[in-house]
Amino acid sequence: MTQHAVARFDQLDAKRPMRVQAGSEEVILVRQGNEIHAFQGNCPHAGAPLEEGLICAGVLVCPWHKAAFAIKDGSVCEPPALAGLRRYRAWVEDGEVWVDDQPLPRSEPPRRSDARTFVVVGAGAAGSAAIATLLDHGFGGRLIWLDQERYPAYDRTALSKFVISGEMSPDEVPSLLEPEQLRRGQLDRRIGKVRTLDTKKQRITLADGQHIDYDAALLATGAIPLRPNLPGIDLQGIMTLRSREDAARLLDAAEPGKPVVVVGDGFIGLEAASALQKYGAKVHVVARHEVPLANQLGDRIGHSIRMLHERKGVTFHAPTEVERFLGDGSVEAVQLANGERLAASVVVLGTGVRPATGCVQGVQLSEDHSLQVDAELKVAHGLWAAGDLVTFPCAGTPVRIEHWRLAQQHGVIAAMNMLGEHRRYDDVPFFWTYHHGRTYEMLGHAQDWDRIEFVGAPETGEFLALQCTGARVQAVIANGYSDAMAMLSQRMKQPLSLDDALKLIG
Ligand SMILES: Cc1cc2nc3c(=O)[nH]c(=O)nc-3n(C[C@H](O)[C@H](O)[C@H](O)COP(=O)(O)OP(=O)(O)OC[C@H]3O[C@@H](n4cnc5c(N)ncnc54)[C@H](O)[C@@H]3O)c2cc1C
Ligand code: FES
């Protein structure tokens, strides 16, 4: 190990890390008062350069998807990262910052022997975060992790952005957990479809008839894309997009220059439109609304997103809907209610999802098939649920939210509660979506709002929009404004007025 003088202490900014080279290691320096800390230079989630992150309220917030790391030790406080930062010994001598070029060993929690069996069903966002948490906190009992997919625990969000655009092969989609994270404890990974989960007997039965009895279980099976009941829906080439296999099939079927029809103008439909346009297909979007995403983002932002798609060559057919799919074995055309007939070699259905709760026995499902959980994400004795399939209390209001980072936050909370804690969700929902090279981020969850205050203009470039009810900010939507969004991701944990928000943004 060699020690390197890398910077002068007085060069360091209290809000912004500095990137330096210590031998072959790329490291960031973080100043906290008179102390200095050194960590790995890139975010363990998707590799964001952490010198572009923001230091605030004792954490470093990643510039890309707002993971937060404790400055005192680099541990992860908020997903999407599921591992802490590698730390390097750093110190100051005569105003000069020195760093070792080898990371400090990671500390391992004590693992006490435990006779209990915990089961996590689902290896998506919520399930993977729960497994990381249980292992990180030293759970020493038997831990069974089930998923029906052959190669589960990957970053689903990349499918509609980079896989079907042809930029990332399905096999290259990043894994959610590193092999060394999984080598701890008594982890038993199994591929299998859960047929029933009996909440009274605390027993899981797999499709092949195996039984597993649990002391504590987490159900994190996500959601299943809906296929509308329309004539011709079973023709080949009419596809949904949820799994890596779905993305691979879609990529196989799409061809540059050939027409693809996307049904639905929600986030998945529009991300698919953007990616397939990039792939070279001729993309048509069929939607019921003139302005996409208006319910979530408001008319002005929704309209600017439609304009962006149109500038890139996507054609919208709206407001209308699909009447039938036409073809002989495979889809060839889509008949719309407004009389148009669109040629199609592939159809992508972005028509919503249904919570994957069909296996649950012994508790009443909500009307939308979700599981109603309490503030600690508990469903029944010994059973917790997390992610897309739950309706949970968020700031006192029952909601079901389909966001990646929120599902991970749920997974962490549920895992801590399986270990005996009583944690509740009291964070700020965060969502990002990507269209034609532009990332839009959303913090908070506004069921309703009566005004939107804009900084910048969505029609022309970077902007930040504050969705308010009266003088209170409910949610913030932005393209760019990375520092403001990082700051707000922490500040919005408390009620925030429009005036205070505008002062913060500066
Ligand atoms: C293509 C795509 C792109 C997205 N992009 C974004 C984005 O950019 N930003 C964002 O915030 N959100 C995004 N989302 C939404 C986000 O992915 C979901 O909110 C999140 O995955 C929910 O996590 P989850 O753990 O509840 O479910 P999932 O991640 O779906 O995981 C559920 C797992 O359970 C398994 N499973 C289901 N049923 C069974 C069973 N009976 N037995 C065994 N295993 C079972 C499934 O195979 C799956 O692996 C995207 C979603 C999709 C489909
Ligand atoms: S790259 Fe840091 S949170 Fe995604």
Side-chain angles (χ1 to χ4, degrees):
M1 175 152 33
T2 315
Q3 300 163 349
H4 302 263
V6 287
R8 299 235 9 117
F9 187 71
D10 56 15
Q11 287 178 295
L12 298 176
D13 185 332
K15 285 201 170 144
R16 184 83 63 204
M18 176 190 273
R19 193 178 192 91
V20 294
Q21 188 81 29
S24 60
E25 302 287 289
E26 301 253 351
V27 169
I28 51 157
L29 302 177
V30 176
R31 176 180 177 170
Q32 192 178 35
N34 287 328
E35 287 177 21
I36 183 80
H37 303 269
F39 302 112
Q40 70 187 71
N42 291 78
C43 179
H45 173 231
L50 287 174
E51 70 277 15
E52 293 175 17
L54 193 79
I55 304 164
C56 62
V59 296
L60 167 62
V61 183
C62 173
W64 286 1
H65 314 108
K66 310 296 174 275
F69 304 95
I71 289 168
K72 62 177 168 39
D73 59 4
S75 58
V76 62
C77 310
E78 292 293 346
L82 294 179
L85 300 176
R86 277 195 311 278
R87 295 164 64 200
Y88 296 78
R89 194 169 72 94
W91 66 100
V92 182
E93 244 174 62
D94 299 331
E96 200 86 43
V97 180
W98 288 78
V99 179
D100 281 346
D101 61 8
Q102 294 297 311
L104 291 163
R106 284 195 194 266
S107 61
E108 270 296 312
R111 212 167 288 280
R112 284 177 217 95
S113 83
D114 192 320
R116 293 174 298 170
T117 298
F118 282 11
V119 183
V120 172
V121 187
S128 302
I131 290 291
T133 307
L134 291 167
L135 295 174
D136 279 352
H137 286 80
F139 176 62
R142 192 162 164 236
L143 179 54
I144 300 175
W145 192 15
L146 286 166
D147 199 283
Q148 65 190 1
E149 291 188 39
R150 197 191 296 252
Y151 304 108
Y154 54 86
D155 184 352
R156 191 176 309 289
T157 67
L159 303 177
S160 50
K161 300 170 182 68
F162 310 118
V163 174
I164 61 169
S165 66
E167 292 163 278
M168 180 188 279
S169 95
D171 300 337
E172 285 169 0
V173 175
S175 297
L176 297 176
L177 297 170
E178 296 297 326
E180 64 266 24
Q181 282 179 285
L182 298 173
R183 276 196 282 271
R184 300 165 305 159
Q186 292 185 56
L187 180 64
D188 174 2
R189 287 186 81 166
R190 296 195 197 167
I191 296 166
K193 178 173 173 145
V194 171
R195 190 168 75 203
T196 58
L197 188 157
D198 186 328
T199 57
K200 302 269 175 346
K201 291 188 185 147
Q202 299 194 196
R203 167 171 282 196
I204 287 168
T205 305
L206 302 187
D208 65 5
Q210 275 185 73
H211 297 301
I212 303 168
D213 292 327
Y214 62 81
D215 296 292
L218 171 66
L219 190 71
T221 41
I224 302 165
L226 292 170
R227 292 180 76 88
N229 190 12
L230 288 169
I233 187 73
D234 293 327
L235 289 168
Q236 262 184 32
I238 303 179
M239 306 190 180
T240 54
L241 177 58
R242 182 84 193 179
S243 66
R244 196 201 306 251
E245 285 76 15
D246 293 341
R249 261 195 300 273
L250 184 45
L251 199 55
D252 264 359
E255 280 181 52
K258 292 275 171 64
V260 171
V261 173
V262 174
V263 184
D265 59 356
F267 290 108
I268 300 293
L270 289 186
E271 284 198 353
S274 158
L276 290 165
Q277 185 74 23
K278 174 138 201 184
Y279 185 67
K282 289 190 180 344
V283 181
H284 296 258
V285 173
V286 177
R288 288 190 174 137
H289 326 96
E290 178 88 40
V291 178
L293 306 172
N295 283 343
Q296 297 92 335
L297 309 181
D299 273 344
R300 186 170 166 194
I301 300 173
H303 190 252
S304 73
I305 291 178
R306 175 170 169 166
M307 305 269 286
L308 171 66
H309 277 269
E310 287 176 335
R311 278 201 304 276
K312 298 289 177 179
V314 175
T315 309
F316 280 72
H317 305 265
T320 187
E321 56 188 14
V322 174
E323 217 168 62
R324 61 180 60 236
F325 299 102
L326 305 161
D328 181 13
S330 298
V331 69
E332 288 161 20
V334 183
Q335 179 64 50
L336 306 186
N338 67 1
E340 281 183 279
R341 180 173 290 198
L342 308 177
S345 59
V346 173
V347 170
V348 183
L349 299 170
T351 41
V353 296
R354 180 168 55 79
T357 47
C359 61
V360 183
Q361 295 180 343
V363 291
Q364 182 81 37
L365 297 179
S366 305
E367 224 171 280
D368 65 355
H369 299 270
S370 64
L371 275 172
Q372 194 97 33
V373 292
D374 67 14
E376 295 179 8
L377 305 180
K378 198 162 183 181
V379 182
H381 182 70
L383 181 66
W384 285 260
D388 279 7
L389 57 75
V390 299
T391 296
F392 73 104
C394 180
T397 310
V399 287
R400 193 170 80 74
I401 300 177
E402 296 162 21
H403 292 359
W404 181 262
R405 182 173 178 265
L406 179 92
Q408 292 179 306
Q409 289 170 325
H410 275 178
V412 172
I413 293 168
M416 294 309 292
N417 293 344
M418 288 163 81
L419 290 170
E421 294 208 1
H422 294 283
R423 295 215 186 161
R424 292 160 166 252
Y425 183 81
D426 57 5
D427 218 301
V428 188
F430 171 78
F431 174 82
W432 77 96
T433 184
Y434 180 81
H435 306 262
H436 305 286
R438 285 181 119 190
T439 299
Y440 297 82
E441 298 181 326
M442 183 161 186
L443 273 169
H445 183 73
Q447 298 272 71
D448 249 329
W449 67 90
D450 49 35
R451 72 192 267 207
I452 305 188
E453 193 70 34
F454 282 89
V455 180
E459 297 80 9
T460 50
E462 297 196 341
F463 73 93
L464 186 144
L466 298 143
Q467 283 180 326
C468 302
T469 311
R472 164 109 190 253
V473 176
Q474 304 286 355
V476 184
I477 303 146
N479 165 231
Y481 286 85
S482 171
D483 280 2
M485 290 299 271
M487 210 155 34
L488 288 167
S489 71
Q490 302 304 308
R491 177 60 184 82
M492 281 175 69
K493 292 178 185 183
Q494 274 84 48
L496 178 66
S497 72
L498 176 59
D499 282 350
D500 286 348
L502 290 170
K503 271 184 222 142
L504 260 177
I505 296 157

